[in-house]
Amino acid sequence: MDLDKKQAAHIANFVQFAYNMFSTGGLQPPPDPGIQAAGYQLIAYLDSMDFQNSVFYGYIAASIADPSQLVVAVRGTQTPQEWLLDLIALPVPFSPMPDAGFVALGFQSIFEKFLAVDLQGNSGPVRQFIENYSARTAIRNLAITGHSLGSALATLIAADIALLSPDTIREALEVYTFASPRVGLLDFAASFNKSVPVSFRIWNVLDIVPETPTFPYIHVSGHGDAIAQTESQLSTLLFTPVCEHHLTSYQWLLDPAEFNLQNDCRHAAVEAMAGARAISQPSVGAQQLRKAMSGRL
């Protein structure tokens, strides 16, 4: 299956919603309005711990029109503690299934403490929540998406489900990661690639994060789906580590007709010619997101 760039850019909005909710604060912040505008409703929060603090990382949402469609969205690094965990690259066995290979300790330490917390306050492991949901409502599509650290965590969530959940759930999996670091060693990548039916690992060739951690860590999904910038994009997007890595930059690179580039990531000369453009809010484009998701599902 080939990557649909426009569709991927819209799916990334679900991660933008998670970033916005983290900025609001709290373990169960109010759902971002863009989720409902996109035709979905939040059904569970994803909380974990960075060292000793419980932190909001993302959410699970279900389509309002068709509850068999689920999205799991995970944000990227936002706190100093998470930056430290990003750097802990000691290989350890993938805890849900050690025979599946070795993964980075820092990523796994967050993944292992993930709790899906429903709207009634009940909590449990993410895979168990998905399986319980599936027992009530058959899952026809399970899209798991994340950015940066969130991509690594999304990869581990997808591997957990693909390796240990019933085939009916595994076959519904679709993974969309943006700017993912390398998550595990060759054995884990092989297990992931064999078990996850659809995985798009989207990376900007000028982004340094996908180059970490270094060998012997190996990317899942082979060469992934690389973004090679056009001459026009190179002359527009400011060449800095932050700008090349930012999720809004990825969305603009994938679908410049629908998504705006952050003003502070534009070359000054281009900005002077084009005029200041406001940062695209996740709620803008929510209708396009709903259309993209319904068309895919």
Side-chain angles (χ1 to χ4, degrees), residues 182-205:
R182 299 182 179 102
V183 179
L185 303 189
L186 179 61
D187 48 6
F188 174 77
S191 296
F192 180 94
N193 295 341
K194 181 179 178 180
S195 303
V196 176
V198 178
S199 176
F200 298 105
R201 181 177 59 80
I202 302 159
W203 60 288
N204 173 9
V205 298

Side-chain angles (χ1 to χ4, degrees), residues 3-121:
L3 174 69
D4 183 327
K5 291 184 178 181
K6 292 179 180 293
Q7 179 176 293
H10 287 292
I11 290 172
N13 261 343
F14 285 111
V15 185
Q16 291 281 23
F17 303 154
Y19 276 120
N20 289 349
M21 292 166 66
F22 175 81
S23 298
T24 299
L27 286 176
Q28 285 88 46
D32 188 276
I35 298 174
Q36 184 173 9
Y40 280 70
Q41 59 184 354
L42 186 148
I43 58 174
Y45 294 94
L46 297 181
D47 296 335
S48 186
M49 296 187 69
D50 50 17
F51 297 105
Q52 296 181 341
N53 300 312
S54 295
V55 182
F56 166 82
Y57 275 90
Y59 60 88
I60 304 173
S63 168
I64 297 171
D66 182 359
S68 73
Q69 319 294 337
L70 296 185
V71 172
V72 179
V74 191
R75 64 164 177 83
T77 305
Q78 292 287 274
T79 69
Q81 294 89 341
E82 290 165 7
W83 280 114
L84 290 174
L85 289 168
D86 288 346
L87 299 174
I88 302 176
L90 177 69
V92 294
F94 182 49
S95 55
M97 181 179 283
D99 290 346
F102 286 78
V103 299
L105 174 60
F107 300 147
Q108 178 154 279
S109 67
I110 300 174
F111 161 76
E112 286 181 326
K113 299 179 181 69
F114 258 139
L115 289 176
V117 184
D118 68 20
L119 301 187
Q120 289 72 47

Side-chain angles (χ1 to χ4, degrees), residues 162-198:
L163 291 167
L164 295 171
S165 289
D167 285 347
T168 52
I169 300 177
R170 179 185 64 80
E171 292 166 358
L173 270 176
E174 287 189 6
V175 181
Y176 289 82
T177 61
F178 303 86
S180 180
R182 299 182 179 102
V183 179
L185 303 189
L186 179 61
D187 48 6
F188 174 77
S191 296
F192 180 94
N193 295 341
K194 181 179 178 180
S195 303
V196 176
V198 178

Side-chain angles (χ1 to χ4, degrees), residues 45 60 68 79 124 135 151 157 174 207 225 236 255 295:
Y45 294 94
I60 304 173
S68 73
T79 69
S151 286
I157 292 171
E174 287 189 6
D207 183 359
D225 295 277
T236 304
D255 188 2

Side-chain angles (χ1 to χ4, degrees), residues 142-162:
L142 175 58
I144 301 180
T145 184
H147 171 249
S148 193
L149 167 63
S151 286
L153 298 174
T155 297
L156 295 176
I157 292 171
D160 187 21
I161 292 171

